[in-house]
Amino acid sequence: PTGSLLYPYGPHQGDETNPKHDDGTSGAIALSVPFTFYGKTHQTVFVNNNGVISFNEPVRQYTPDPFPLVDGRSFVAPYWADVDNVLGGDIFYRQTTDSDLLEDISKDITQYFPKSPFTATWALVATWDHVAYYGSTSEKGNTFQAVLTTDSKIFYIILSYWDIQWTTGAASDGDAETGLGGTPAHVGFNSGDDTNFYNIPGSQTDAIINITTTSNVKVPGRWVFRVDEFQVTGV
């Protein structure tokens, strides 16, 4: 289902679809506009099945670790947990300069950050659509989306949570029937320099299932961050 919370996605929008592999990833995505994250500019991203968008190298790890990570990996975790798209769901992504979409994104960001008027010139939209968890014996699926966007000066990431039904795969000590317990999903940002990071409240606790109701921009299910020089807005 698509709500107004999620920007349009799917093959009819020109999205690529990740292969059906447990712990799989997209190929390397060469960015048509370099993306600045915590002061470092990146040319390549991976959209990883396990709920992570990583810079420069893929992430196949399925049980999340809290940030900051000690190994220098730089990534955003829209919902880092053990997805198995063989059991269900799809992971889609596209780079876009579509003017209607960019207008919607610009309007939203300007509403959340009225002091910095913003006109998006590019976006990467990645969507996890009703994805299952590893070891699942249920029909549960999670639907969420991450958008990287810029006007070439300021860089933002929008995280949107439409439907979150599980937190944990069976190999992370989750219950195969409920998808709960064990080591729950992690949500946040890791710069890779072991100093700069941000964990969204509730990460790696059972409470993360409620992320569809929380926000830092007064829109339930949506979290938005300026990430070139990382800034946390009124949580």
Side-chain angles (χ1 to χ4, degrees), residues 14-39:
D15 281 0
E16 305 284 333
T17 306
N18 276 12
K20 296 272 184 190
H21 288 303
D22 181 40
D23 303 328
T25 83
S26 67
I29 302 164
L31 299 180
S32 55
V33 174
F35 194 82
T36 302
F37 182 68
Y38 281 106

Side-chain angles (χ1 to χ4, degrees), residues 43-146:
Q43 313 271 358
T44 309
V45 300
F46 291 81
V47 173
N48 303 280
N49 292 5
N50 289 339
V52 168
I53 298 177
S54 54
F55 297 100
N56 309 324
E57 56 183 319
V59 171
R60 297 179 188 274
Q61 183 179 334
Y62 54 83
T63 300
D65 286 318
F67 298 156
L69 302 176
V70 293
D71 59 14
R73 287 180 293 174
S74 171
F75 62 77
V76 52
Y79 198 82
W80 186 14
D82 197 358
V83 168
D84 188 350
N85 65 344
V86 178
L87 291 181
D90 285 295
I91 296 105
F92 300 114
Y93 66 90
R94 72 183 179 283
Q95 295 185 72
T96 180
T97 55
D98 176 79
S99 56
D100 290 347
L101 178 68
L102 292 178
E103 196 177 321
D104 287 347
I105 290 172
S106 303
K107 228 183 293 182
D108 287 346
I109 287 184
T110 300
Q111 181 192 324
Y112 309 143
F113 298 85
K115 289 180 187 142
S116 334
F118 180 77
T119 305
T121 53
W122 169 92
L124 173 84
V125 181
T127 310
W128 286 257
D129 184 44
H130 203 74
V131 291
Y133 55 94
Y134 179 80
S136 173
T137 59
S138 75
E139 297 295 306
K140 287 184 170 187
N142 286 345
T143 300
F144 56 96
Q145 185 179 73

